[in-house]
Amino acid sequence: MKRAFITGIEGQDGSYLAELLLSKNYEVHGIYRQSTNGGSPNLKPLKANATVFEKTLFLHPADLDDAKSIRVPLEKSAPDEIYHLASQSHVGASFEKVEETCRITGLGALRLLELTRKLPKAPRFFHASSSEIFGSPEQSPQTEITPVNPITPYGSAKALGTQMTRIYRKNFGLFAVNGILFNHESPRRGENFVTRKICRAVAAIKSGRQSELVLGDTSAQRDWGHARDYVRGMWLALQHDTPEDFVFATGKLHRVQDIVELAFKTVDLDWQKFVRQEKQFFRPADPRQVVGNAVKAKQLLSWEPEISFEQTIAEMVQSELNALAGRVAN
Ligand code: NDP
Ligand code: GDR
C-alpha cells in the first residue's frame, strides 16, 4: 500500500485528490489548520465513513507557517508521495495580505521541500504551481518553458515555490515536480472565487433569497477546467518515470461574462436584470491572455481534460440549487 501526504487536504483539490488516492488503495495523510478546522465541508463524507476515517485516511493539525508542526506528522507517516496544495490561494486577497501570502504560499513550499529533503527516504514531491507565475505573458498559449514574470503578490509567491521546486530537483536530486495549474473549478470551490460566487448567486436569486450579483471585471478571461481532471493530472505527474514540470490546462479561453450568461440561462433568468460591476472587485493588476498548452501532459502522461466548461458550470449551479433545497450536494 502506497502512502500519500497531502497539505491543504480540506481545500477543493485536496478533497478530490484524497478521494482519488483512497480509490487507488493509498493510505492518505493530510494536514489541516486547527484554527479553521470544521470550516470546510469538503471532507465531511470521508470523515463520516467509518471504513475510511482513521483506517486509511488520517488527519493531522499543522500550519505551513510553523515547520515544526509539519515535521512530526510528516516523519510519522513516512509517505511515498507528497502533494503540496496548501496555500493562501486567493489572488485578489494577496494584494491585501502581501506578506502573509509570501510566507504561506512561497516560503511554505520551501519549508516543505527542506523537510522532504531531510527525510530518511525522500518521497516524490508535487508542488501546485499556477498560471499566475506567467503574469500577462507575451506568448500564448503558455507552456512549461514560458518565461516566469508574475504581476500579482500571489503569482510572485507561487513563482518562488516553483523555482525552489526546480532547484531542489536539480541540486538535491529530489523527485520534485511542478504542476502548472490553470484555473479549475467545481462545487467545492471556495465561495469567493468568481465561478462559485456567480453560481451561488444565481441559485439564491432564483429562489428569491438574493436580488443582485455584484462583480468586478466581467471582461476578464481565464482557461477554466474541472478540479477532478486536474487532481488526476497531479497523480499522473508523480507516476511518471522522470521528474518533470507539466502544464495542466484546457487550452480554451472564456470570459467571466460567459459564466454569467451560462449560469443565468440554466435557471431561465435574464442576467441583465441582476448583474452589475463595482470597482471594489476590480484588482490593481489582473493577468491577460492566460491560456495553457497541455500538450506535454497529453504526450507523456496521456492526460486530457474530460469535463467541459459548460458541464462544470451546469454542475456548480445544480449543486447550489440542491444545497438550497436541503439536499446533499457535490
Ligand atoms: P483552496 O484554497 O481550496 O485550498 C487551500 C488549502 O490550503 C485550504 O484547505 C487551506 O486551509 C489550506 N491552508 C491555507 N493556509 C494554510 C496554512 N498556513 N497551513 C496549512 N494549510 C493552509 O485551494 P485549491 O484546492 O483550489 O488549490 C489547491 C492548490 O493549487 C493551491 O496551492 C492553489 O494555490 C493552487 N492552484 C489552484 C488553482 C485553482 O484554479 N483551483 C489553479 C492554480 C493553482 P484553511 O481552510 O485553513 O484556509
Ligand atoms: P483567479 O480566480 O484570480 O484566476 O485565481 P478568481 O476566480 O478569483 O478570478 C478569476 C477572474 O475573475 C475576475 N472577477 C472576479 N473574481 C472574483 N474572485 N470575484 C469577483 O467578483 C470577480 N469579478 C471578476 C477576476 O478579476 C479574475 O480575472 C485562481 C485561484 O485558484 C488561484 O489560486 C490560481 O492560482 C489561479 O486561479 C490560476
PDB file of all heavy atoms in Angstrom, residues 253-273:
ATOM      1  N   LEU A 253     -10.110  29.737 -23.802  1.00  0.00           N
ATOM      2  CA  LEU A 253     -10.382  30.945 -23.011  1.00  0.00           C
ATOM      3  C   LEU A 253     -11.880  31.244 -22.985  1.00  0.00           C
ATOM      4  O   LEU A 253     -12.569  31.117 -24.004  1.00  0.00           O
ATOM      5  CB  LEU A 253      -9.684  32.151 -23.640  1.00  0.00           C
ATOM      6  CG  LEU A 253      -8.265  32.490 -23.184  1.00  0.00           C
ATOM      7  CD1 LEU A 253      -7.767  33.719 -23.934  1.00  0.00           C
ATOM      8  CD2 LEU A 253      -8.193  32.726 -21.689  1.00  0.00           C
ATOM      9  N   HIS A 254     -12.354  31.628 -21.800  1.00  0.00           N
ATOM     10  CA  HIS A 254     -13.732  32.119 -21.669  1.00  0.00           C
ATOM     11  C   HIS A 254     -13.697  33.394 -20.853  1.00  0.00           C
ATOM     12  O   HIS A 254     -12.777  33.613 -20.060  1.00  0.00           O
ATOM     13  CB  HIS A 254     -14.610  31.097 -20.950  1.00  0.00           C
ATOM     14  CG  HIS A 254     -14.820  29.832 -21.734  1.00  0.00           C
ATOM     15  ND1 HIS A 254     -15.788  29.695 -22.694  1.00  0.00           N
ATOM     16  CD2 HIS A 254     -14.169  28.652 -21.687  1.00  0.00           C
ATOM     17  CE1 HIS A 254     -15.723  28.480 -23.218  1.00  0.00           C
ATOM     18  NE2 HIS A 254     -14.750  27.820 -22.626  1.00  0.00           N
ATOM     19  N   ARG A 255     -14.763  34.196 -20.987  1.00  0.00           N
ATOM     20  CA  ARG A 255     -14.866  35.426 -20.184  1.00  0.00           C
ATOM     21  C   ARG A 255     -15.692  35.166 -18.928  1.00  0.00           C
ATOM     22  O   ARG A 255     -16.564  34.278 -18.933  1.00  0.00           O
ATOM     23  CB  ARG A 255     -15.575  36.526 -20.986  1.00  0.00           C
ATOM     24  CG  ARG A 255     -14.871  36.982 -22.249  1.00  0.00           C
ATOM     25  CD  ARG A 255     -15.828  37.854 -23.070  1.00  0.00           C
ATOM     26  NE  ARG A 255     -17.089  37.133 -23.294  1.00  0.00           N
ATOM     27  CZ  ARG A 255     -18.254  37.698 -23.552  1.00  0.00           C
ATOM     28  NH1 ARG A 255     -18.358  39.019 -23.624  1.00  0.00           N
ATOM     29  NH2 ARG A 255     -19.348  36.978 -23.749  1.00  0.00           N
ATOM     30  N   VAL A 256     -15.494  35.991 -17.896  1.00  0.00           N
ATOM     31  CA  VAL A 256     -16.373  35.932 -16.719  1.00  0.00           C
ATOM     32  C   VAL A 256     -17.821  36.116 -17.193  1.00  0.00           C
ATOM     33  O   VAL A 256     -18.742  35.435 -16.731  1.00  0.00           O
ATOM     34  CB  VAL A 256     -15.981  37.019 -15.687  1.00  0.00           C
ATOM     35  CG1 VAL A 256     -17.002  37.111 -14.570  1.00  0.00           C
ATOM     36  CG2 VAL A 256     -14.580  36.734 -15.130  1.00  0.00           C
ATOM     37  N   GLN A 257     -17.987  37.002 -18.163  1.00  0.00           N
ATOM     38  CA  GLN A 257     -19.322  37.256 -18.717  1.00  0.00           C
ATOM     39  C   GLN A 257     -19.966  35.976 -19.277  1.00  0.00           C
ATOM     40  O   GLN A 257     -21.182  35.781 -19.173  1.00  0.00           O
ATOM     41  CB  GLN A 257     -19.210  38.340 -19.812  1.00  0.00           C
ATOM     42  CG  GLN A 257     -20.512  38.716 -20.481  1.00  0.00           C
ATOM     43  CD  GLN A 257     -21.516  39.353 -19.516  1.00  0.00           C
ATOM     44  OE1 GLN A 257     -21.125  39.912 -18.481  1.00  0.00           O
ATOM     45  NE2 GLN A 257     -22.792  39.229 -19.828  1.00  0.00           N
ATOM     46  N   ASP A 258     -19.156  35.097 -19.858  1.00  0.00           N
ATOM     47  CA  ASP A 258     -19.701  33.824 -20.385  1.00  0.00           C
ATOM     48  C   ASP A 258     -20.279  32.984 -19.247  1.00  0.00           C
ATOM     49  O   ASP A 258     -21.301  32.307 -19.429  1.00  0.00           O
ATOM     50  CB  ASP A 258     -18.603  33.016 -21.096  1.00  0.00           C
ATOM     51  CG  ASP A 258     -18.057  33.754 -22.313  1.00  0.00           C
ATOM     52  OD1 ASP A 258     -18.818  34.511 -22.936  1.00  0.00           O
ATOM     53  OD2 ASP A 258     -16.850  33.586 -22.613  1.00  0.00           O
ATOM     54  N   ILE A 259     -19.606  33.002 -18.089  1.00  0.00           N
ATOM     55  CA  ILE A 259     -20.111  32.226 -16.939  1.00  0.00           C
ATOM     56  C   ILE A 259     -21.447  32.818 -16.481  1.00  0.00           C
ATOM     57  O   ILE A 259     -22.409  32.084 -16.213  1.00  0.00           O
ATOM     58  CB  ILE A 259     -19.113  32.248 -15.760  1.00  0.00           C
ATOM     59  CG1 ILE A 259     -17.744  31.751 -16.204  1.00  0.00           C
ATOM     60  CG2 ILE A 259     -19.629  31.406 -14.593  1.00  0.00           C
ATOM     61  CD1 ILE A 259     -16.657  31.917 -15.145  1.00  0.00           C
ATOM     62  N   VAL A 260     -21.482  34.153 -16.427  1.00  0.00           N
ATOM     63  CA  VAL A 260     -22.716  34.837 -16.015  1.00  0.00           C
ATOM     64  C   VAL A 260     -23.874  34.398 -16.916  1.00  0.00           C
ATOM     65  O   VAL A 260     -24.927  33.953 -16.445  1.00  0.00           O
ATOM     66  CB  VAL A 260     -22.529  36.379 -16.088  1.00  0.00           C
ATOM     67  CG1 VAL A 260     -23.861  37.105 -15.967  1.00  0.00           C
ATOM     68  CG2 VAL A 260     -21.562  36.854 -15.015  1.00  0.00           C
ATOM     69  N   GLU A 261     -23.663  34.483 -18.224  1.00  0.00           N
ATOM     70  CA  GLU A 261     -24.757  34.190 -19.159  1.00  0.00           C
ATOM     71  C   GLU A 261     -25.177  32.725 -19.078  1.00  0.00           C
ATOM     72  O   GLU A 261     -26.364  32.397 -19.070  1.00  0.00           O
ATOM     73  CB  GLU A 261     -24.340  34.593 -20.586  1.00  0.00           C
ATOM     74  CG  GLU A 261     -24.248  36.108 -20.701  1.00  0.00           C
ATOM     75  CD  GLU A 261     -23.747  36.610 -22.059  1.00  0.00           C
ATOM     76  OE1 GLU A 261     -23.814  35.841 -23.039  1.00  0.00           O
ATOM     77  OE2 GLU A 261     -23.277  37.773 -22.110  1.00  0.00           O
ATOM     78  N   LEU A 262     -24.177  31.839 -18.998  1.00  0.00           N
ATOM     79  CA  LEU A 262     -24.450  30.401 -18.928  1.00  0.00           C
ATOM     80  C   LEU A 262     -25.212  30.052 -17.653  1.00  0.00           C
ATOM     81  O   LEU A 262     -26.203  29.313 -17.674  1.00  0.00           O
ATOM     82  CB  LEU A 262     -23.096  29.681 -18.934  1.00  0.00           C
ATOM     83  CG  LEU A 262     -22.990  28.268 -19.432  1.00  0.00           C
ATOM     84  CD1 LEU A 262     -23.577  28.126 -20.818  1.00  0.00           C
ATOM     85  CD2 LEU A 262     -21.490  27.888 -19.468  1.00  0.00           C
ATOM     86  N   ALA A 263     -24.762  30.589 -16.535  1.00  0.00           N
ATOM     87  CA  ALA A 263     -25.355  30.231 -15.237  1.00  0.00           C
ATOM     88  C   ALA A 263     -26.797  30.742 -15.138  1.00  0.00           C
ATOM     89  O   ALA A 263     -27.685  30.016 -14.686  1.00  0.00           O
ATOM     90  CB  ALA A 263     -24.496  30.791 -14.108  1.00  0.00           C
ATOM     91  N   PHE A 264     -27.027  32.001 -15.580  1.00  0.00           N
ATOM     92  CA  PHE A 264     -28.405  32.531 -15.510  1.00  0.00           C
ATOM     93  C   PHE A 264     -29.322  31.785 -16.471  1.00  0.00           C
ATOM     94  O   PHE A 264     -30.493  31.541 -16.174  1.00  0.00           O
ATOM     95  CB  PHE A 264     -28.422  34.045 -15.788  1.00  0.00           C
ATOM     96  CG  PHE A 264     -28.134  34.875 -14.558  1.00  0.00           C
ATOM     97  CD1 PHE A 264     -26.834  35.268 -14.257  1.00  0.00           C
ATOM     98  CD2 PHE A 264     -29.156  35.240 -13.691  1.00  0.00           C
ATOM     99  CE1 PHE A 264     -26.559  36.014 -13.110  1.00  0.00           C
ATOM    100  CE2 PHE A 264     -28.887  35.994 -12.542  1.00  0.00           C
ATOM    101  CZ  PHE A 264     -27.587  36.376 -12.248  1.00  0.00           C
ATOM    102  N   LYS A 265     -28.755  31.395 -17.634  1.00  0.00           N
ATOM    103  CA  LYS A 265     -29.569  30.659 -18.617  1.00  0.00           C
ATOM    104  C   LYS A 265     -30.022  29.317 -18.035  1.00  0.00           C
ATOM    105  O   LYS A 265     -31.147  28.864 -18.294  1.00  0.00           O
ATOM    106  CB  LYS A 265     -28.713  30.440 -19.878  1.00  0.00           C
ATOM    107  CG  LYS A 265     -29.517  30.043 -21.092  1.00  0.00           C
ATOM    108  CD  LYS A 265     -28.671  30.127 -22.335  1.00  0.00           C
ATOM    109  CE  LYS A 265     -29.305  29.287 -23.441  1.00  0.00           C
ATOM    110  NZ  LYS A 265     -28.318  28.697 -24.319  1.00  0.00           N
ATOM    111  N   THR A 266     -29.171  28.677 -17.252  1.00  0.00           N
ATOM    112  CA  THR A 266     -29.504  27.383 -16.659  1.00  0.00           C
ATOM    113  C   THR A 266     -30.799  27.458 -15.855  1.00  0.00           C
ATOM    114  O   THR A 266     -31.536  26.481 -15.761  1.00  0.00           O
ATOM    115  CB  THR A 266     -28.357  26.950 -15.690  1.00  0.00           C
ATOM    116  OG1 THR A 266     -27.138  27.093 -16.368  1.00  0.00           O
ATOM    117  CG2 THR A 266     -28.514  25.533 -15.208  1.00  0.00           C
ATOM    118  N   VAL A 267     -31.061  28.623 -15.231  1.00  0.00           N
ATOM    119  CA  VAL A 267     -32.274  28.739 -14.411  1.00  0.00           C
ATOM    120  C   VAL A 267     -33.321  29.649 -15.072  1.00  0.00           C
ATOM    121  O   VAL A 267     -34.256  30.140 -14.403  1.00  0.00           O
ATOM    122  CB  VAL A 267     -31.944  29.252 -12.986  1.00  0.00           C
ATOM    123  CG1 VAL A 267     -31.077  28.262 -12.235  1.00  0.00           C
ATOM    124  CG2 VAL A 267     -31.274  30.631 -13.023  1.00  0.00           C
ATOM    125  N   ASP A 268     -33.162  29.882 -16.387  1.00  0.00           N
ATOM    126  CA  ASP A 268     -34.142  30.670 -17.145  1.00  0.00           C
ATOM    127  C   ASP A 268     -34.354  32.077 -16.604  1.00  0.00           C
ATOM    128  O   ASP A 268     -35.494  32.535 -16.482  1.00  0.00           O
ATOM    129  CB  ASP A 268     -35.506  29.940 -17.178  1.00  0.00           C
ATOM    130  CG  ASP A 268     -35.488  28.799 -18.152  1.00  0.00           C
ATOM    131  OD1 ASP A 268     -34.793  28.917 -19.180  1.00  0.00           O
ATOM    132  OD2 ASP A 268     -36.133  27.775 -17.868  1.00  0.00           O
ATOM    133  N   LEU A 269     -33.258  32.745 -16.247  1.00  0.00           N
ATOM    134  CA  LEU A 269     -33.370  34.139 -15.804  1.00  0.00           C
ATOM    135  C   LEU A 269     -32.539  35.019 -16.726  1.00  0.00           C
ATOM    136  O   LEU A 269     -31.530  34.571 -17.280  1.00  0.00           O
ATOM    137  CB  LEU A 269     -32.858  34.302 -14.369  1.00  0.00           C
ATOM    138  CG  LEU A 269     -33.726  33.761 -13.233  1.00  0.00           C
ATOM    139  CD1 LEU A 269     -33.006  33.946 -11.892  1.00  0.00           C
ATOM    140  CD2 LEU A 269     -35.096  34.436 -13.189  1.00  0.00           C
ATOM    141  N   ASP A 270     -32.963  36.301 -16.859  1.00  0.00           N
ATOM    142  CA  ASP A 270     -32.246  37.270 -17.682  1.00  0.00           C
ATOM    143  C   ASP A 270     -31.175  37.953 -16.821  1.00  0.00           C
ATOM    144  O   ASP A 270     -31.505  38.735 -15.919  1.00  0.00           O
ATOM    145  CB  ASP A 270     -33.259  38.298 -18.213  1.00  0.00           C
ATOM    146  CG  ASP A 270     -32.590  39.400 -19.019  1.00  0.00           C
ATOM    147  OD1 ASP A 270     -31.347  39.319 -19.238  1.00  0.00           O
ATOM    148  OD2 ASP A 270     -33.293  40.356 -19.412  1.00  0.00           O
ATOM    149  N   TRP A 271     -29.902  37.660 -17.101  1.00  0.00           N
ATOM    150  CA  TRP A 271     -28.818  38.166 -16.249  1.00  0.00           C
ATOM    151  C   TRP A 271     -28.826  39.696 -16.150  1.00  0.00           C
ATOM    152  O   TRP A 271     -28.425  40.273 -15.139  1.00  0.00           O
ATOM    153  CB  TRP A 271     -27.456  37.669 -16.751  1.00  0.00           C
ATOM    154  CG  TRP A 271     -27.035  38.212 -18.091  1.00  0.00           C
ATOM    155  CD1 TRP A 271     -27.296  37.656 -19.307  1.00  0.00           C
ATOM    156  CD2 TRP A 271     -26.317  39.426 -18.341  1.00  0.00           C
ATOM    157  NE1 TRP A 271     -26.780  38.442 -20.309  1.00  0.00           N
ATOM    158  CE2 TRP A 271     -26.160  39.531 -19.735  1.00  0.00           C
ATOM    159  CE3 TRP A 271     -25.778  40.416 -17.527  1.00  0.00           C
ATOM    160  CZ2 TRP A 271     -25.502  40.603 -20.338  1.00  0.00           C
ATOM    161  CZ3 TRP A 271     -25.115  41.493 -18.118  1.00  0.00           C
ATOM    162  CH2 TRP A 271     -24.989  41.579 -19.516  1.00  0.00           C
ATOM    163  N   GLN A 272     -29.265  40.350 -17.226  1.00  0.00           N
ATOM    164  CA  GLN A 272     -29.190  41.824 -17.263  1.00  0.00           C
ATOM    165  C   GLN A 272     -30.010  42.484 -16.160  1.00  0.00           C
ATOM    166  O   GLN A 272     -29.760  43.624 -15.784  1.00  0.00           O
ATOM    167  CB  GLN A 272     -29.641  42.321 -18.632  1.00  0.00           C
ATOM    168  CG  GLN A 272     -28.720  41.786 -19.712  1.00  0.00           C
ATOM    169  CD  GLN A 272     -29.000  42.359 -21.080  1.00  0.00           C
ATOM    170  OE1 GLN A 272     -28.755  43.529 -21.323  1.00  0.00           O
ATOM    171  NE2 GLN A 272     -29.507  41.517 -21.951  1.00  0.00           N
ATOM    172  N   LYS A 273     -30.983  41.765 -15.631  1.00  0.00           N
ATOM    173  CA  LYS A 273     -31.812  42.336 -14.562  1.00  0.00           C
ATOM    174  C   LYS A 273     -31.109  42.280 -13.197  1.00  0.00           C
ATOM    175  O   LYS A 273     -31.588  42.877 -12.244  1.00  0.00           O
ATOM    176  CB  LYS A 273     -33.134  41.571 -14.462  1.00  0.00           C
ATOM    177  CG  LYS A 273     -34.018  41.728 -15.669  1.00  0.00           C
ATOM    178  CD  LYS A 273     -35.352  41.049 -15.414  1.00  0.00           C
ATOM    179  CE  LYS A 273     -36.259  41.259 -16.613  1.00  0.00           C
ATOM    180  NZ  LYS A 273     -37.186  40.173 -16.804  1.00  0.00           N
TER     181      LYS A 273
END
